[in-house]
Amino acid sequence: MCRRTGPPTSPSGRLSCGSLVPLGGLSRHGKPGVAGFRGLGEVESTPVTSMGPRPFGRLFISLAARLQGRAGPERAIVRRFAALLVTATLLGACGGPAASPAGPLGASASPGPGASANLAPRDISTAAADAFDHPGDLPAPPVDPESGDVPPAEPATPPLGGHLALGSPGVPVSSHLGTAGGSLSADGLAISIPAQALSADTAFSVTATPIAGTANASDYGGAVIPVGPLYTVAAPGADLAAPATVNLTYTMPAGAPAGASVLAFYFDPDSGAIAPLSPVSDGSGTLTALATHFSDLFAGLVDWNRLPATVDSGFRPGVDDWEFDNYGSYVAPGGQCEGQSLSEIWYYATQRQDAGASPLYGVYDNNGSPDKTPTFWQDDSDGYRFAASVHADPIVDRATYLQFRNSQWASADGALTYEAFRAAIAFSGEPQMIRISPDGIAGGHTMVVYRVSPSRLYVADPNYVGHLRTIVYDAASGQLSTYSSGDSATSIAAGGDTSYTHFAYVPWLSARTVASIAARWAEFEANVAGNTTFPSYRLLASSG
């Protein structure tokens, strides 16, 4: 089992949450532990400089112990301070580089506890979820009465890669669009960019390149037939604050396989990888989809008979999700579902699949300490702050919450959405994001889709970590059934579940997303998770 390792304190101290004096004993790192606290006067005068990597858990336990056998003013003071610690944890956790031992009383501390992560490689190619040793003393995923248990992990569906056979590029069509938005077009392609989606005047060019077919008959499992040219949409420096609507005109080829349908795909000219855009509708030879960034794209007919009936990324709840529920935070009081879901996918794809790291679930429980606290999520501050910072990052995937406008939610095709998930996992071998809404107007929730069967989307819901949760798909009607969850675990506890009836496939992967999450991960490994996102604060205790 890999653990996070590293020094328990930064050079200037790990914690400055008021002024506490550690007494007696050594922590597991051989540093001064916290066995109790002196009188409040000294609590206010001397900063802690070495608390080990788990300041909150240790402080809280020590304070609770301090209450035993105490009465009167001292008991009230310690209890009040313990409440402050828990409150600070809920608002974003305490820690990070502290004021120096000689610093002034009440000096501001930059929040962001963490420890460096050194993850050992692990063979994950064929192991079943049931065979995984759950980290530390964390319980196995709970049984769901719907179908008995989280499906045992299977070898991930091998990505169906390939390449396109391209002709000579045509003449680029150029245009300029600004903050007012507008449209650009080329033969068979029309792109509409909403107002305020661009932050400045932007030069666009669209180049159409004929596609002769796939490079080899077996590419993409023999399931994809291009039905139009490859469009290279170049917009240097453009960042979309809201998705662009893409309309692709195509002609269905003669002898198209029964049941085949058309999706819009992103295409990576270097690797040949393809990934669906978010589909909205398909009718009368015009496919409508949403783009969150600009690159190469084309319309492809998909012969579903050539894809596996069930596609599986290998991701599993209770193995690859975070161990804490989505309670929201200071920077995301309504919930941080997208940050948790997106960081889980990023970790699985880039750290576990690509680098052989250990499964995510529980590895950073109690911030990587071997002393696991599976029923006390508040001391998982490193991972929680990392997920919150991903959620709050306007660069990571800011178009997702604006993914569909009202009219598009209303017209979103359930069959195309289901098919987009099936295709995305089949062609990438990676889990994907799903965005759900109760009414297509306000509010919503984001989850991970990790497996698609003929009748279900299997989801990892950050409000129900480690649980089997599915969205039923009716192939006859082409509809996804109502799903019950909430904006956050807090909202569920306060007012019950919300029924979600609108569903959108959201491609998680773009170079911008990967680089941005990697930057947040670097903060996490440097013990400063969330420091650029959460505000600095001071935690003071008073005898008055």
Side-chain angles (χ1 to χ4, degrees):
M1 186 56 59
C2 64
R3 305 288 185 195
R4 296 186 62 183
T5 61
T9 60
S10 67
S12 60
R14 286 289 294 116
L15 179 66
S16 180
C17 300
S19 310
L20 302 179
V21 179
L23 290 180
L26 295 177
S27 72
R28 62 188 176 86
H29 299 279
K31 300 293 185 180
V34 181
F37 300 96
R38 304 187 197 275
L40 189 59
E42 293 176 23
V43 166
E44 292 180 322
S45 63
T46 309
V48 163
T49 59
S50 178
M51 297 296 297
R54 293 309 327 123
F56 272 118
R58 295 180 185 279
L59 281 174
F60 188 82
I61 292 169
S62 298
L63 288 170
R66 180 69 168 172
L67 288 174
Q68 300 300 319
R70 300 289 179 177
E74 184 178 357
R75 181 180 179 89
I77 288 168
V78 176
R79 175 178 289 167
R80 195 163 63 210
F81 194 83
L84 285 171
L85 287 173
V86 173
T87 301
T89 306
L90 291 171
L91 291 179
C94 177
S100 66
L105 173 63
S108 295
S110 175
S116 63
N118 297 314
L119 302 178
R122 183 169 188 173
D123 180 7
I124 62 168
S125 57
T126 59
D130 294 345
F132 277 121
D133 293 325
H134 289 277
D137 57 356
L138 289 168
V143 172
D144 188 288
E146 180 182 42
S147 57
D149 204 349
V150 173
E154 302 171 359
T157 303
L160 299 175
H163 226 292
L164 299 178
L166 301 175
S168 299
V171 177
V173 177
S174 299
S175 180
H176 277 79
L177 297 176
T179 58
S183 301
L184 57 148
S185 61
D187 184 26
L189 170 71
I191 298 177
S192 175
I193 299 176
Q196 306 307 314
L198 296 170
S199 60
D201 185 64
T202 303
F204 287 85
S205 70
V206 180
T207 304
T209 301
I211 304 175
T214 57
N216 299 287
S218 61
D219 284 355
Y220 310 117
V224 177
I225 303 171
V227 290
L230 177 72
Y231 297 100
T232 300
V233 183
D239 247 346
L240 284 176
T245 301
V246 176
N247 289 305
L248 289 165
T249 302
Y250 66 89
T251 300
M252 188 71 78
S261 57
V262 178
L263 292 175
F265 287 96
Y266 288 117
F267 172 70
D268 183 333
D270 295 325
S271 67
I274 60 175
L277 281 70
S278 296
V280 176
S281 61
D282 180 17
S284 302
T286 299
L287 177 69
T288 300
L290 297 181
T292 57
H293 65 283
F294 297 113
S295 59
D296 297 79
L297 53 93
F298 72 100
L301 180 73
V302 181
D303 181 358
W304 300 105
N305 295 319
R306 290 180 175 271
L307 293 184
T310 295
V311 292
D312 197 322
S313 68
F315 182 106
R316 286 296 181 273
V319 177
D320 297 299
D321 51 355
W322 289 105
E323 69 278 358
F324 45 77
D325 282 322
N326 163 39
Y327 292 104
S329 64
Y330 180 93
V331 298
Q336 56 189 44
C337 54
E338 182 162 327
Q340 286 188 214
S341 298
L342 193 53
S343 59
E344 288 167 359
I345 296 174
W346 178 88
Y347 181 92
Y348 183 79
T350 68
Q351 304 301 297
R352 188 174 174 199
Q353 286 186 318
D354 293 349
S358 293
L360 180 61
Y361 188 84
V363 170
Y364 303 112
D365 177 48
N366 202 2
N367 285 2
S369 168
D371 303 321
K372 297 299 181 185
T373 55
T375 61
F376 189 70
W377 67 268
Q378 288 90 342
D379 64 3
D380 302 351
S381 54
D382 289 5
Y384 205 88
R385 288 165 65 86
F386 168 59
S389 65
V390 170
H391 182 95
D393 194 329
I395 297 177
V396 169
D397 202 359
R398 63 178 167 191
T400 304
Y401 272 84
L402 300 170
Q403 186 67 27
F404 277 23
R405 291 179 288 280
N406 295 350
S407 60
Q408 293 166 329
W409 272 116
S411 61
D413 187 290
L416 286 177
T417 299
Y418 168 86
E419 290 169 351
F421 281 110
R422 185 178 169 194
I425 295 177
F427 296 131
S428 72
E430 298 171 350
Q432 302 294 323
M433 281 206 307
I434 186 169
R435 176 76 175 142
I436 61 179
S437 172
D439 53 17
I441 299 174
H445 186 46
T446 303
M447 306 180 293
V448 177
V449 172
Y450 61 91
R451 173 185 170 103
V452 179
S453 74
S455 61
R456 295 180 187 274
L457 301 179
Y458 289 75
V459 298
D461 188 336
N463 295 333
Y464 297 95
V465 296
H467 284 68
L468 171 67
R469 306 279 290 180
T470 66
I471 301 172
V472 174
Y473 174 66
D474 180 15
S477 65
Q479 296 297 316
L480 291 164
S481 65
T482 300
Y483 178 80
S484 180
S485 187
D487 289 350
S488 68
T490 304
S491 66
I492 293 173
D497 286 4
T498 297
S499 295
Y500 294 92
T501 55
H502 294 67
F503 307 91
Y505 155 80
V506 180
W508 85 272
L509 187 59
S510 72
R512 193 74 167 167
T513 298
V514 171
S516 300
I517 300 178
R520 295 303 186 188
W521 182 256
E523 295 174 351
F524 176 80
E525 291 192 307
N527 306 335
V528 292
N531 274 18
T532 58
T533 306
F534 286 83
S536 298
Y537 66 91
R538 294 183 299 174
L539 182 60
L540 302 174
S542 173
S543 58

